Amino acid sequence: MNFPSELKYTEDHEWIRIEGDVAFIGVTDHAQQELGDIVYVDINTVGDALEKGEVFGSVEAVKTVSDLFIPVAGTVLEVNDALDGEPELVNSDPYGNGWMVKISLANPGDTDGLLSAEEYQTFIGA
């Protein structure tokens, strides 16, 4: 499994990459492996201001549907449109082309409770 050190992670298995006052969010390599083949990504929160921990969408795999939780407060700026036609990008490239949303950060201090790559690996027992 892959755990890029430049990312932060949540106990709900999302990752976040912060670039200035915006951030990209997706699900971890561990999460996509646990879910199995992703067949649909449902995110319709563009323009919504969400609080840390709120649901921003869901992913549907062959056998389950799982909610996606935003790791920090912010406004959803963009959804990765590529996932409409290729939801399997979440499986094949979870930290790259499989990103899910881009948000503007409401409170950069929200990242304080997030896990480092090492902490996340310990959390999942990797």
Side-chain angles (χ1 to χ4, degrees), residues 7 12-13 16 20 26-27 39-41 43 45 61 64 66 69-71 77 80-81 84 92 101 106 118:
L7 305 178
D12 293 315
H13 309 291
I16 181 169
V27 297
V39 295
Y40 185 66
V41 178
I43 303 170
T45 50
T64 188
S66 184
F69 301 95
I70 199 156
L77 300 173
N80 184 354
D81 290 336
D84 283 344
S92 63
V101 293
E118 296 77 21

Coordinates of all heavy atoms in Angstrom, one line a residue, residues 7 12-13 16 20 26-27 39-41 43 45 61 64 66 69-71 77 80-81 84 92 101 106 118:
L7 N 0.9 14.0 2.4 CA -0.5 14.1 2.7 C -0.8 14.0 4.2 O 0.0 13.5 4.9 CB -1.3 13.0 1.9 CG -1.1 12.9 0.4 CD1 -1.8 11.8 -0.2 CD2 -1.5 14.2 -0.3
D12 N -11.3 8.3 9.1 CA -12.4 7.8 8.1 C -11.9 7.4 6.8 O -12.6 7.2 5.9 CB -13.4 9.0 8.0 CG -14.2 9.2 9.2 OD1 -14.7 8.3 9.9 OD2 -14.4 10.4 9.6
H13 N -10.5 7.4 6.6 CA -9.8 6.9 5.5 C -9.9 7.9 4.3 O -9.8 7.5 3.1 CB -10.3 5.5 5.1 CG -10.2 4.6 6.3 ND1 -9.1 4.2 6.8 CD2 -11.2 4.1 7.0 CE1 -9.3 3.4 7.9 NE2 -10.7 3.3 8.0
I16 N -5.9 14.3 2.5 CA -6.0 15.7 2.1 C -4.6 16.2 1.7 O -3.6 16.0 2.4 CB -6.7 16.6 3.2 CG1 -6.8 18.1 2.8 CG2 -5.9 16.4 4.5 CD1 -7.7 18.9 3.7
G20 N -1.6 25.9 -0.4 CA -2.0 27.3 -0.1 C -3.3 27.3 0.7 O -3.4 26.7 1.7
G26 N -9.4 13.0 -1.2 CA -9.8 11.7 -1.8 C -9.8 10.6 -0.8 O -9.7 10.9 0.4
V27 N -10.0 9.4 -1.2 CA -9.9 8.3 -0.3 C -8.5 7.6 -0.4 O -7.9 7.6 -1.4 CB -11.0 7.2 -0.5 CG1 -12.4 7.9 -0.3 CG2 -11.0 6.6 -1.8
V39 N -17.6 1.6 -8.6 CA -18.5 1.7 -9.8 C -19.1 3.0 -9.9 O -19.6 3.4 -11.0 CB -19.5 0.6 -9.8 CG1 -18.8 -0.8 -9.9 CG2 -20.4 0.6 -8.6
Y40 N -19.2 3.9 -8.9 CA -19.9 5.1 -9.0 C -19.4 6.1 -7.9 O -19.3 5.6 -6.7 CB -21.4 4.9 -8.9 CG -22.2 6.2 -9.1 CD1 -22.2 6.8 -10.3 CD2 -23.0 6.7 -8.1 CE1 -23.0 8.0 -10.5 CE2 -23.7 7.9 -8.3 CZ -23.7 8.5 -9.5 OH -24.5 9.6 -9.7
V41 N -19.2 7.3 -8.2 CA -18.9 8.3 -7.2 C -20.0 9.4 -7.3 O -20.2 9.9 -8.3 CB -17.5 9.0 -7.5 CG1 -17.2 10.1 -6.5 CG2 -16.4 7.9 -7.5
I43 N -21.1 12.9 -5.8 CA -20.7 14.1 -5.1 C -21.5 15.3 -5.8 O -21.3 15.6 -6.9 CB -19.2 14.4 -5.1 CG1 -18.4 13.2 -4.5 CG2 -18.9 15.7 -4.4 CD1 -16.9 13.3 -4.7
T45 N -22.0 18.4 -4.0 CA -21.8 19.5 -3.0 C -21.1 20.7 -3.5 O -20.6 21.5 -2.6 CB -21.2 18.9 -1.7 OG1 -20.0 18.2 -2.1 CG2 -22.1 17.9 -1.0
A61 N -19.3 0.9 -4.4 CA -18.5 -0.2 -4.9 C -19.4 -1.4 -5.2 O -20.7 -1.3 -5.0 CB -17.5 -0.7 -3.8
T64 N -21.0 -2.4 -1.7 CA -21.3 -1.5 -0.6 C -21.4 0.0 -1.1 O -20.8 0.3 -2.2 CB -20.3 -1.6 0.5 OG1 -20.8 -0.9 1.6 CG2 -18.9 -1.2 0.1
S66 N -20.4 3.8 0.6 CA -19.7 4.4 1.7 C -19.8 5.9 1.6 O -19.5 6.5 0.6 CB -18.3 3.9 1.8 OG -17.6 4.4 2.9
F69 N -16.4 11.8 4.1 CA -16.4 12.8 5.2 C -15.3 13.8 4.9 O -14.2 13.5 4.7 CB -16.2 12.2 6.6 CG -17.3 11.2 6.9 CD1 -17.1 9.9 6.7 CD2 -18.5 11.6 7.4 CE1 -18.0 8.9 7.0 CE2 -19.5 10.7 7.7 CZ -19.2 9.3 7.5
I70 N -15.7 15.1 4.9 CA -14.7 16.2 4.7 C -13.8 16.3 5.9 O -14.3 16.4 7.0 CB -15.4 17.5 4.3 CG1 -14.4 18.4 3.6 CG2 -16.1 18.2 5.5 CD1 -15.1 19.4 2.7
P71 N -12.5 16.3 5.7 CA -11.6 16.3 6.9 C -11.3 17.7 7.5 O -10.8 17.7 8.6 CB -10.2 15.8 6.3 CG -10.3 15.9 4.8 CD -11.8 16.0 4.5
L77 N -15.2 23.6 -4.1 CA -15.0 24.4 -5.3 C -15.2 23.6 -6.6 O -15.6 24.1 -7.6 CB -13.5 25.0 -5.3 CG -13.1 25.9 -4.2 CD1 -11.7 26.2 -4.3 CD2 -14.0 27.1 -4.2
N80 N -14.0 16.3 -9.2 CA -13.2 15.7 -10.2 C -14.2 15.0 -11.3 O -14.7 13.9 -11.1 CB -12.3 14.6 -9.7 CG -11.3 14.0 -10.7 OD1 -11.5 14.3 -11.9 ND2 -10.4 13.2 -10.3
D81 N -14.4 15.8 -12.4 CA -15.3 15.3 -13.4 C -14.9 14.0 -14.1 O -15.7 13.3 -14.6 CB -15.5 16.4 -14.5 CG -16.3 17.6 -14.0 OD1 -17.0 17.5 -13.0 OD2 -16.1 18.7 -14.6
D84 N -16.8 10.8 -13.3 CA -18.1 10.5 -13.8 C -18.0 9.3 -14.8 O -18.8 8.4 -14.8 CB -18.7 11.7 -14.5 CG -19.3 12.7 -13.6 OD1 -19.5 12.3 -12.4 OD2 -19.5 13.8 -14.0
S92 N -7.4 2.8 -9.2 CA -6.1 2.7 -9.9 C -5.1 3.9 -9.5 O -3.9 3.7 -9.5 CB -6.3 2.7 -11.4 OG -6.8 3.9 -11.8
V101 N -12.6 15.9 -4.5 CA -13.0 17.3 -4.5 C -11.8 18.2 -4.2 O -10.8 17.8 -3.6 CB -14.1 17.5 -3.4 CG1 -15.4 16.8 -3.8 CG2 -13.7 17.2 -2.0
A106 N -11.6 26.8 5.1 CA -12.3 27.8 6.0 C -11.4 28.2 7.2 O -11.4 29.3 7.6 CB -13.6 27.3 6.4
E118 N 2.7 8.2 8.8 CA 3.1 7.2 9.8 C 2.0 6.8 10.8 O 1.8 5.7 11.1 CB 4.4 7.6 10.5 CG 5.6 7.8 9.6 CD 5.6 9.1 8.8 OE1 4.9 10.0 9.1 OE2 6.3 9.1 7.8

